[in-house]
Amino acid sequence: MDAGNMAVTGRPASSDWGMEARATLALSAPIVLTNLSQMALALTETALLGHLGTEALAAGMLAVSLHFALLAPGLGLALAAAPLQAQARGAGRLAGGAGRGWVRAVRRATRAALWAVALVLLPSWALLWEAAAVLRALGQAPELAELAQDYTRAAMFGMPAFSGFIVLRGFLAAMERPGAAMWVSLCVVVLNLPVAWALIFPAGLGVFGAGLSITLANMAMLLATLVLIRRDRVFRRFRLLGRVWRPDGARLREVFFVGMPIAAAMLLEIGVFSAAALAMGWFGAAAVAAHAIAIQTASATFMVPMGIGQAATARVGLAAGAGDAAAAARAGWVAVALGTAFMSAMAVLLVSMSPEIAWLFLDRAAPGAAEVAALGATLLVVAGFFQLGDGIQVVAAGALRGVKDTRVPMLFAALGYWGIGLPFGLFMARFGGFGPTGIWMGLGVGLAIVAALMLRRWQRLSRRGSARKQV
């Protein structure tokens, strides 16, 4: 492979790896900032609800867990647009950019993803409207379930906008110009803080106000991104929303074929963390609140490798669409290395600074804050130990999506999270004497197993012969 690279390019193979690292960093940096800004919305609301009280924080955690579990189908289909868009552009590069066939292919993939999102979110809306009944059936306290429903009934109307924004962000990543989505997200985060505070406290809407601010933020992100794309001279020619009301059966089937395994894998991953949150409810409001602190912190660090994985989808997809299997393999391995390096640093941070991080979410004068902070710090230490596995699995999954390999990773998620991780965690919590900490131990085991399986899968497909066959 290396000799071939020198023969074709006249450069040593190491320079190709260096160029790929720079290209991946350049593409992933705006995507990471976009992810972090979106995470900042949730972190802001968690902090605000924590100052409203332990019950409000616990109810918000339950609501967010259910909300994202039911968002998974729409989000998975939205993410399916990215490899289709990237491979279409890669094919255009292979043809020297001639013709408008690849432009139409990008447009069709975008429209089909928007249609798919709209179709799958309708059942999610029905369940979120009756969230209190769902949560009570899952064993949650009635008062927490009612508060959580206040959040879901307000936040659910932002789900289509958020999924649509993800589709457009995939388009921008495939075009290797993700900066617009980043600036939109950052501006929305800045504006959302005073809006959320005003709705939760002065307006007296509490948990409902937190959900409403998320809906407003998601709608603002979608509309602003559409405006920026429409005003850009290069992007305007794609006419992404032109005749969007006309369904494209062939491309819609492709989006479902690629996207449903992504959606299922995301549902399995989000679902296991949601199940963990529900299991925390068995140990009381303090345990749920501590879980909220740990999961929001771990989710914030996760945004970086997730962004690198999304960049890997675009980079691998561009190379795969152009028929360059060696470049596709190189793009995936560079992304895995970058994600591993970052999460190793985060592991050290979480383990060494856990008490200080926990108190960032709490008012020291609030009743029960000390108990929540102590348990939250313990959970953060456990989270620190599974950072590496979490980073590897999401970056490897992103690389696999670049070659449209989504069904096998879905099976890995089912085995690791639900077949081993969650049962082990519940056993350690109930019978091992570890309580809430045992649940997080199970999450760590599940992530480690999925990471190992994903990495092995990419290793096999990234070999030059297998990669060529796959793409």
Side-chain angles (χ1 to χ4, degrees), residues 157-171:
F157 295 104
M159 292 169 69
F162 178 74
S163 299
F165 172 75
I166 296 300
V167 172
L168 297 180
R169 191 181 68 177
F171 165 76

Side-chain angles (χ1 to χ4, degrees), residues 293 297 353-362 372-374 376-377 380:
I293 291 170
T297 305
M353 299 287 292
S354 59
E356 292 82 358
I357 294 171
W359 277 113
L360 292 174
F361 293 87
L362 297 165
V372 174
L380 283 169

